[in-house]
mmCIF file of all heavy atoms in Angstrom:
data_model
loop_
_atom_site.group_PDB
_atom_site.id
_atom_site.type_symbol
_atom_site.label_atom_id
_atom_site.label_comp_id
_atom_site.label_asym_id
_atom_site.label_seq_id
_atom_site.Cartn_x
_atom_site.Cartn_y
_atom_site.Cartn_z
ATOM 1 N N PRO A 9 13.808 0.750 -5.378
ATOM 2 C CA PRO A 9 12.877 1.874 -5.376
ATOM 3 C C PRO A 9 12.954 2.662 -6.680
ATOM 4 O O PRO A 9 13.921 2.542 -7.441
ATOM 5 C CB PRO A 9 13.367 2.719 -4.200
ATOM 6 C CG PRO A 9 14.847 2.472 -4.176
ATOM 7 C CD PRO A 9 15.030 1.035 -4.612
ATOM 8 N N GLY A 10 11.936 3.461 -6.941
ATOM 9 C CA GLY A 10 11.943 4.284 -8.144
ATOM 10 C C GLY A 10 10.721 5.155 -8.229
ATOM 11 O O GLY A 10 9.897 5.216 -7.309
ATOM 12 N N HIS A 11 10.623 5.879 -9.338
ATOM 13 C CA HIS A 11 9.486 6.755 -9.610
ATOM 14 C C HIS A 11 8.620 6.109 -10.684
ATOM 15 O O HIS A 11 9.111 5.766 -11.755
ATOM 16 C CB HIS A 11 9.974 8.132 -10.070
ATOM 17 C CG HIS A 11 10.879 8.802 -9.086
ATOM 18 N ND1 HIS A 11 12.250 8.637 -9.125
ATOM 19 C CD2 HIS A 11 10.611 9.607 -8.014
ATOM 20 C CE1 HIS A 11 12.795 9.340 -8.142
ATOM 21 N NE2 HIS A 11 11.821 9.939 -7.450
ATOM 22 N N ARG A 12 7.369 5.983 -10.389
ATOM 23 C CA ARG A 12 6.456 5.300 -11.311
ATOM 24 C C ARG A 12 6.483 5.906 -12.706
ATOM 25 O O ARG A 12 6.504 5.199 -13.711
ATOM 26 C CB ARG A 12 5.016 5.356 -10.771
ATOM 27 C CG ARG A 12 4.753 4.431 -9.619
ATOM 28 C CD ARG A 12 3.546 4.863 -8.800
ATOM 29 N NE ARG A 12 2.413 5.213 -9.616
ATOM 30 C CZ ARG A 12 1.455 4.353 -10.004
ATOM 31 N NH1 ARG A 12 1.541 3.096 -9.613
ATOM 32 N NH2 ARG A 12 0.437 4.750 -10.722
ATOM 33 N N ALA A 13 6.472 7.215 -12.799
ATOM 34 C CA ALA A 13 6.411 7.874 -14.104
ATOM 35 C C ALA A 13 7.647 7.563 -14.941
ATOM 36 O O ALA A 13 7.553 7.329 -16.150
ATOM 37 C CB ALA A 13 6.269 9.386 -13.919
ATOM 38 N N VAL A 14 8.821 7.534 -14.312
ATOM 39 C CA VAL A 14 10.064 7.258 -15.047
ATOM 40 C C VAL A 14 10.089 5.809 -15.516
ATOM 41 O O VAL A 14 10.381 5.510 -16.689
ATOM 42 C CB VAL A 14 11.290 7.565 -14.164
ATOM 43 C CG1 VAL A 14 12.578 7.189 -14.902
ATOM 44 C CG2 VAL A 14 11.308 9.033 -13.777
ATOM 45 N N LEU A 15 9.788 4.900 -14.587
ATOM 46 C CA LEU A 15 9.847 3.484 -14.942
ATOM 47 C C LEU A 15 8.793 3.114 -15.976
ATOM 48 O O LEU A 15 9.045 2.318 -16.883
ATOM 49 C CB LEU A 15 9.666 2.630 -13.680
ATOM 50 C CG LEU A 15 10.741 2.807 -12.599
ATOM 51 C CD1 LEU A 15 10.435 1.929 -11.390
ATOM 52 C CD2 LEU A 15 12.123 2.486 -13.153
ATOM 53 N N ALA A 16 7.599 3.678 -15.850
ATOM 54 C CA ALA A 16 6.548 3.395 -16.828
ATOM 55 C C ALA A 16 6.908 3.944 -18.203
ATOM 56 O O ALA A 16 6.557 3.359 -19.229
ATOM 57 C CB ALA A 16 5.224 3.985 -16.359
ATOM 58 N N SER A 17 7.622 5.071 -18.239
ATOM 59 C CA SER A 17 8.041 5.643 -19.525
ATOM 60 C C SER A 17 9.069 4.772 -20.215
ATOM 61 O O SER A 17 9.131 4.718 -21.452
ATOM 62 C CB SER A 17 8.623 7.051 -19.309
ATOM 63 O OG SER A 17 7.652 7.925 -18.761
ATOM 64 N N ALA A 18 9.897 4.072 -19.436
ATOM 65 C CA ALA A 18 10.962 3.249 -20.019
ATOM 66 C C ALA A 18 10.508 1.835 -20.344
ATOM 67 O O ALA A 18 11.081 1.185 -21.222
ATOM 68 C CB ALA A 18 12.154 3.189 -19.061
ATOM 69 N N SER A 19 9.463 1.339 -19.635
ATOM 70 C CA SER A 19 9.040 -0.057 -19.796
ATOM 71 C C SER A 19 7.544 -0.151 -20.050
ATOM 72 O O SER A 19 6.744 0.111 -19.142
ATOM 73 C CB SER A 19 9.390 -0.866 -18.544
ATOM 74 O OG SER A 19 8.730 -2.108 -18.537
ATOM 75 N N PRO A 20 7.123 -0.547 -21.269
ATOM 76 C CA PRO A 20 5.693 -0.745 -21.536
ATOM 77 C C PRO A 20 5.053 -1.775 -20.604
ATOM 78 O O PRO A 20 3.880 -1.654 -20.259
ATOM 79 C CB PRO A 20 5.668 -1.214 -22.998
ATOM 80 C CG PRO A 20 6.927 -0.654 -23.591
ATOM 81 C CD PRO A 20 7.933 -0.682 -22.478
ATOM 82 N N HIS A 21 5.829 -2.769 -20.189
ATOM 83 C CA HIS A 21 5.266 -3.775 -19.277
ATOM 84 C C HIS A 21 4.935 -3.163 -17.919
ATOM 85 O O HIS A 21 3.872 -3.421 -17.343
ATOM 86 C CB HIS A 21 6.242 -4.930 -19.107
ATOM 87 C CG HIS A 21 5.799 -5.944 -18.089
ATOM 88 N ND1 HIS A 21 4.624 -6.649 -18.207
ATOM 89 C CD2 HIS A 21 6.367 -6.345 -16.916
ATOM 90 C CE1 HIS A 21 4.485 -7.459 -17.167
ATOM 91 N NE2 HIS A 21 5.527 -7.290 -16.369
ATOM 92 N N LEU A 22 5.855 -2.348 -17.397
ATOM 93 C CA LEU A 22 5.585 -1.692 -16.122
ATOM 94 C C LEU A 22 4.450 -0.688 -16.255
ATOM 95 O O LEU A 22 3.651 -0.515 -15.330
ATOM 96 C CB LEU A 22 6.850 -1.014 -15.603
ATOM 97 C CG LEU A 22 7.988 -1.962 -15.185
ATOM 98 C CD1 LEU A 22 9.185 -1.165 -14.697
ATOM 99 C CD2 LEU A 22 7.525 -2.947 -14.120
ATOM 100 N N MET A 23 4.368 -0.008 -17.389
ATOM 101 C CA MET A 23 3.256 0.903 -17.628
ATOM 102 C C MET A 23 1.923 0.168 -17.508
ATOM 103 O O MET A 23 0.984 0.633 -16.847
ATOM 104 C CB MET A 23 3.388 1.523 -19.021
ATOM 105 C CG MET A 23 2.155 2.288 -19.503
ATOM 106 S SD MET A 23 1.898 3.840 -18.644
ATOM 107 C CE MET A 23 3.010 4.890 -19.581
ATOM 108 N N GLN A 24 1.837 -1.005 -18.113
ATOM 109 C CA GLN A 24 0.611 -1.794 -18.040
ATOM 110 C C GLN A 24 0.357 -2.290 -16.615
ATOM 111 O O GLN A 24 -0.775 -2.273 -16.124
ATOM 112 C CB GLN A 24 0.701 -2.976 -19.000
ATOM 113 C CG GLN A 24 -0.545 -3.846 -19.038
ATOM 114 C CD GLN A 24 -0.400 -5.021 -20.001
ATOM 115 O OE1 GLN A 24 0.674 -5.264 -20.538
ATOM 116 N NE2 GLN A 24 -1.480 -5.744 -20.215
ATOM 117 N N LEU A 25 1.415 -2.713 -15.943
ATOM 118 C CA LEU A 25 1.283 -3.214 -14.584
ATOM 119 C C LEU A 25 0.797 -2.123 -13.641
ATOM 120 O O LEU A 25 -0.141 -2.322 -12.856
ATOM 121 C CB LEU A 25 2.628 -3.775 -14.102
ATOM 122 C CG LEU A 25 2.677 -4.356 -12.687
ATOM 123 C CD1 LEU A 25 1.748 -5.544 -12.558
ATOM 124 C CD2 LEU A 25 4.108 -4.740 -12.324
ATOM 125 N N PHE A 26 1.400 -0.935 -13.726
ATOM 126 C CA PHE A 26 0.999 0.165 -12.862
ATOM 127 C C PHE A 26 -0.428 0.600 -13.158
ATOM 128 O O PHE A 26 -1.214 0.894 -12.242
ATOM 129 C CB PHE A 26 1.948 1.356 -13.039
ATOM 130 C CG PHE A 26 3.367 1.086 -12.651
ATOM 131 C CD1 PHE A 26 4.393 1.902 -13.105
ATOM 132 C CD2 PHE A 26 3.701 0.013 -11.820
ATOM 133 C CE1 PHE A 26 5.710 1.664 -12.746
ATOM 134 C CE2 PHE A 26 5.013 -0.237 -11.462
ATOM 135 C CZ PHE A 26 6.024 0.590 -11.936
ATOM 136 N N SER A 27 -0.778 0.668 -14.438
ATOM 137 C CA SER A 27 -2.121 1.099 -14.824
ATOM 138 C C SER A 27 -3.174 0.130 -14.314
ATOM 139 O O SER A 27 -4.240 0.528 -13.838
ATOM 140 C CB SER A 27 -2.221 1.236 -16.344
ATOM 141 O OG SER A 27 -1.289 2.177 -16.827
ATOM 142 N N THR A 28 -2.881 -1.157 -14.407
ATOM 143 C CA THR A 28 -3.824 -2.176 -13.934
ATOM 144 C C THR A 28 -4.043 -2.067 -12.433
ATOM 145 O O THR A 28 -5.171 -2.149 -11.936
ATOM 146 C CB THR A 28 -3.315 -3.585 -14.286
ATOM 147 O OG1 THR A 28 -3.130 -3.673 -15.694
ATOM 148 C CG2 THR A 28 -4.300 -4.647 -13.838
ATOM 149 N N GLU A 29 -2.949 -1.852 -11.696
ATOM 150 C CA GLU A 29 -3.066 -1.728 -10.246
ATOM 151 C C GLU A 29 -3.830 -0.475 -9.860
ATOM 152 O O GLU A 29 -4.589 -0.457 -8.895
ATOM 153 C CB GLU A 29 -1.673 -1.723 -9.610
ATOM 154 C CG GLU A 29 -0.978 -3.076 -9.657
ATOM 155 C CD GLU A 29 -1.732 -4.137 -8.875
ATOM 156 O OE1 GLU A 29 -2.334 -3.811 -7.836
ATOM 157 O OE2 GLU A 29 -1.740 -5.302 -9.321
ATOM 158 N N ASP A 30 -3.636 0.623 -10.628
ATOM 159 C CA ASP A 30 -4.372 1.859 -10.356
ATOM 160 C C ASP A 30 -5.868 1.652 -10.499
ATOM 161 O O ASP A 30 -6.681 2.189 -9.741
ATOM 162 C CB ASP A 30 -3.903 2.970 -11.293
ATOM 163 C CG ASP A 30 -2.606 3.599 -10.811
ATOM 164 O OD1 ASP A 30 -2.148 3.250 -9.705
ATOM 165 O OD2 ASP A 30 -2.049 4.431 -11.546
ATOM 166 N N GLU A 31 -6.258 0.866 -11.519
ATOM 167 C CA GLU A 31 -7.681 0.601 -11.729
ATOM 168 C C GLU A 31 -8.259 -0.229 -10.584
ATOM 169 O O GLU A 31 -9.405 -0.050 -10.180
ATOM 170 C CB GLU A 31 -7.887 -0.111 -13.060
ATOM 171 C CG GLU A 31 -7.565 0.755 -14.262
ATOM 172 C CD GLU A 31 -7.657 -0.035 -15.561
ATOM 173 O OE1 GLU A 31 -7.989 -1.231 -15.495
ATOM 174 O OE2 GLU A 31 -7.401 0.555 -16.616
ATOM 175 N N LYS A 32 -7.447 -1.113 -10.044
ATOM 176 C CA LYS A 32 -7.915 -1.960 -8.949
ATOM 177 C C LYS A 32 -7.986 -1.188 -7.636
ATOM 178 O O LYS A 32 -8.869 -1.423 -6.813
ATOM 179 C CB LYS A 32 -6.986 -3.176 -8.787
ATOM 180 C CG LYS A 32 -7.015 -4.154 -9.944
ATOM 181 C CD LYS A 32 -6.065 -5.307 -9.673
ATOM 182 C CE LYS A 32 -6.077 -6.311 -10.811
ATOM 183 N NZ LYS A 32 -5.120 -7.419 -10.573
ATOM 184 N N ASN A 33 -7.016 -0.288 -7.419
ATOM 185 C CA ASN A 33 -6.921 0.425 -6.147
ATOM 186 C C ASN A 33 -7.017 1.924 -6.392
ATOM 187 O O ASN A 33 -6.014 2.576 -6.697
ATOM 188 C CB ASN A 33 -5.597 0.088 -5.444
ATOM 189 C CG ASN A 33 -5.424 -1.409 -5.235
ATOM 190 O OD1 ASN A 33 -6.230 -2.039 -4.570
ATOM 191 N ND2 ASN A 33 -4.371 -1.971 -5.810
ATOM 192 N N SER A 34 -8.214 2.466 -6.280
ATOM 193 C CA SER A 34 -8.409 3.897 -6.524
ATOM 194 C C SER A 34 -7.748 4.741 -5.443
ATOM 195 O O SER A 34 -7.270 5.847 -5.700
ATOM 196 C CB SER A 34 -9.907 4.210 -6.602
ATOM 197 O OG SER A 34 -10.558 3.793 -5.409
ATOM 198 N N ASN A 35 -7.692 4.229 -4.209
ATOM 199 C CA ASN A 35 -7.056 4.959 -3.111
ATOM 200 C C ASN A 35 -5.615 4.485 -2.959
ATOM 201 O O ASN A 35 -5.253 3.757 -2.032
ATOM 202 C CB ASN A 35 -7.833 4.742 -1.806
ATOM 203 C CG ASN A 35 -9.252 5.262 -1.900
ATOM 204 O OD1 ASN A 35 -9.486 6.302 -2.519
ATOM 205 N ND2 ASN A 35 -10.188 4.550 -1.277
ATOM 206 N N ARG A 36 -4.785 4.879 -3.891
ATOM 207 C CA ARG A 36 -3.394 4.414 -3.888
ATOM 208 C C ARG A 36 -2.603 5.116 -2.802
ATOM 209 O O ARG A 36 -2.749 6.317 -2.578
ATOM 210 C CB ARG A 36 -2.760 4.665 -5.262
ATOM 211 C CG ARG A 36 -1.363 4.102 -5.392
ATOM 212 C CD ARG A 36 -0.869 4.209 -6.822
ATOM 213 N NE ARG A 36 -0.859 5.590 -7.267
ATOM 214 C CZ ARG A 36 0.151 6.431 -7.027
ATOM 215 N NH1 ARG A 36 1.191 6.019 -6.309
ATOM 216 N NH2 ARG A 36 0.113 7.660 -7.478
ATOM 217 N N GLN A 37 -1.731 4.348 -2.129
ATOM 218 C CA GLN A 37 -0.876 4.918 -1.099
ATOM 219 C C GLN A 37 0.264 5.707 -1.726
ATOM 220 O O GLN A 37 0.500 5.651 -2.932
ATOM 221 C CB GLN A 37 -0.320 3.798 -0.214
ATOM 222 C CG GLN A 37 -1.392 2.972 0.495
ATOM 223 C CD GLN A 37 -0.795 1.809 1.248
ATOM 224 O OE1 GLN A 37 0.401 1.558 1.161
ATOM 225 N NE2 GLN A 37 -1.637 1.116 2.005
ATOM 226 N N ALA A 38 0.993 6.422 -0.898
ATOM 227 C CA ALA A 38 2.101 7.246 -1.397
ATOM 228 C C ALA A 38 3.169 6.388 -2.052
ATOM 229 O O ALA A 38 3.712 6.743 -3.101
ATOM 230 C CB ALA A 38 2.696 8.066 -0.257
ATOM 231 N N ILE A 39 3.496 5.267 -1.443
ATOM 232 C CA ILE A 39 4.481 4.348 -2.005
ATOM 233 C C ILE A 39 3.819 2.985 -2.168
ATOM 234 O O ILE A 39 3.273 2.440 -1.208
ATOM 235 C CB ILE A 39 5.722 4.230 -1.099
ATOM 236 C CG1 ILE A 39 6.408 5.598 -0.947
ATOM 237 C CG2 ILE A 39 6.698 3.219 -1.684
ATOM 238 C CD1 ILE A 39 7.622 5.575 -0.054
ATOM 239 N N VAL A 40 3.877 2.454 -3.379
ATOM 240 C CA VAL A 40 3.239 1.178 -3.684
ATOM 241 C C VAL A 40 4.312 0.157 -4.025
ATOM 242 O O VAL A 40 5.268 0.463 -4.757
ATOM 243 C CB VAL A 40 2.241 1.313 -4.852
ATOM 244 C CG1 VAL A 40 1.564 -0.023 -5.136
ATOM 245 C CG2 VAL A 40 1.217 2.383 -4.539
ATOM 246 N N SER A 41 4.165 -1.051 -3.514
ATOM 247 C CA SER A 41 5.105 -2.138 -3.799
ATOM 248 C C SER A 41 4.515 -3.067 -4.847
ATOM 249 O O SER A 41 3.322 -3.383 -4.811
ATOM 250 C CB SER A 41 5.416 -2.923 -2.521
ATOM 251 O OG SER A 41 6.069 -2.097 -1.578
ATOM 252 N N TYR A 42 5.373 -3.514 -5.768
ATOM 253 C CA TYR A 42 4.966 -4.461 -6.810
ATOM 254 C C TYR A 42 5.926 -5.650 -6.773
ATOM 255 O O TYR A 42 7.148 -5.474 -6.801
ATOM 256 C CB TYR A 42 5.017 -3.820 -8.200
ATOM 257 C CG TYR A 42 4.006 -2.721 -8.401
ATOM 258 C CD1 TYR A 42 4.333 -1.404 -8.107
ATOM 259 C CD2 TYR A 42 2.737 -3.007 -8.882
ATOM 260 C CE1 TYR A 42 3.411 -0.388 -8.292
ATOM 261 C CE2 TYR A 42 1.805 -2.002 -9.062
ATOM 262 C CZ TYR A 42 2.149 -0.693 -8.767
ATOM 263 O OH TYR A 42 1.232 0.312 -8.937
ATOM 264 N N LYS A 43 5.366 -6.828 -6.743
ATOM 265 C CA LYS A 43 6.174 -8.046 -6.783
ATOM 266 C C LYS A 43 6.224 -8.547 -8.217
ATOM 267 O O LYS A 43 5.197 -8.832 -8.826
ATOM 268 C CB LYS A 43 5.590 -9.116 -5.866
ATOM 269 C CG LYS A 43 6.446 -10.376 -5.798
ATOM 270 C CD LYS A 43 5.860 -11.400 -4.835
ATOM 271 C CE LYS A 43 6.732 -12.643 -4.754
ATOM 272 N NZ LYS A 43 6.159 -13.660 -3.840
ATOM 273 N N LEU A 44 7.443 -8.643 -8.752
ATOM 274 C CA LEU A 44 7.637 -9.113 -10.120
ATOM 275 C C LEU A 44 7.975 -10.595 -10.079
ATOM 276 O O LEU A 44 9.014 -10.990 -9.537
ATOM 277 C CB LEU A 44 8.759 -8.331 -10.806
ATOM 278 C CG LEU A 44 8.552 -6.815 -10.923
ATOM 279 C CD1 LEU A 44 9.740 -6.177 -11.633
ATOM 280 C CD2 LEU A 44 7.261 -6.505 -11.655
ATOM 281 N N ASN A 45 7.104 -11.411 -10.645
ATOM 282 C CA ASN A 45 7.329 -12.857 -10.693
ATOM 283 C C ASN A 45 7.844 -13.245 -12.065
ATOM 284 O O ASN A 45 7.339 -12.782 -13.079
ATOM 285 C CB ASN A 45 6.032 -13.617 -10.401
ATOM 286 C CG ASN A 45 5.504 -13.310 -9.007
ATOM 287 O OD1 ASN A 45 6.282 -13.247 -8.059
ATOM 288 N ND2 ASN A 45 4.208 -13.108 -8.893
ATOM 289 N N GLY A 46 8.830 -14.083 -12.087
ATOM 290 C CA GLY A 46 9.381 -14.517 -13.362
ATOM 291 C C GLY A 46 10.888 -14.614 -13.272
ATOM 292 O O GLY A 46 11.471 -14.698 -12.185
ATOM 293 N N LEU A 47 11.549 -14.585 -14.426
ATOM 294 C CA LEU A 47 13.003 -14.748 -14.476
ATOM 295 C C LEU A 47 13.700 -13.398 -14.325
ATOM 296 O O LEU A 47 14.431 -12.957 -15.208
ATOM 297 C CB LEU A 47 13.407 -15.431 -15.780
ATOM 298 C CG LEU A 47 12.796 -16.813 -16.006
ATOM 299 C CD1 LEU A 47 13.201 -17.366 -17.359
ATOM 300 C CD2 LEU A 47 13.228 -17.769 -14.903
ATOM 301 N N TYR A 48 13.441 -12.726 -13.201
ATOM 302 C CA TYR A 48 14.071 -11.440 -12.923
ATOM 303 C C TYR A 48 15.206 -11.640 -11.922
ATOM 304 O O TYR A 48 14.992 -12.188 -10.834
ATOM 305 C CB TYR A 48 13.069 -10.448 -12.330
ATOM 306 C CG TYR A 48 11.976 -10.017 -13.278
ATOM 307 C CD1 TYR A 48 10.745 -10.658 -13.287
ATOM 308 C CD2 TYR A 48 12.169 -8.967 -14.155
ATOM 309 C CE1 TYR A 48 9.734 -10.260 -14.133
ATOM 310 C CE2 TYR A 48 11.164 -8.553 -15.014
ATOM 311 C CZ TYR A 48 9.946 -9.208 -15.003
ATOM 312 O OH TYR A 48 8.954 -8.816 -15.847
#
C-alpha cells in the first residue's frame, strides 16, 4: 500500500502509470489497485 502522490513523486514510471489510469477512469475510487507486470 501507499500514497499516490508520494510514490508518483519518487518514480516517473509510477507517475505516468497513475496519470494514464486517471485519464481512463474519471470516477476513481478511494483506493485504486495497480498490477505491475515485469521483473518486480
Side-chain angles (χ1 to χ4, degrees):
H11 303 90
R12 285 159 46 91
V14 176
L15 298 179
S17 298
S19 166
H21 175 60
L22 292 180
M23 169 72 83
Q24 182 181 7
L25 180 62
F26 297 161
S27 301
T28 302
E29 289 297 325
D30 280 354
E31 293 175 1
K32 293 180 180 178
N33 304 300
S34 57
N35 298 322
R36 185 172 59 84
Q37 300 175 354
I39 299 179
V40 181
S41 296
Y42 293 91
K43 184 178 181 181
L44 300 180
N45 298 318
L47 301 177
Y48 293 95

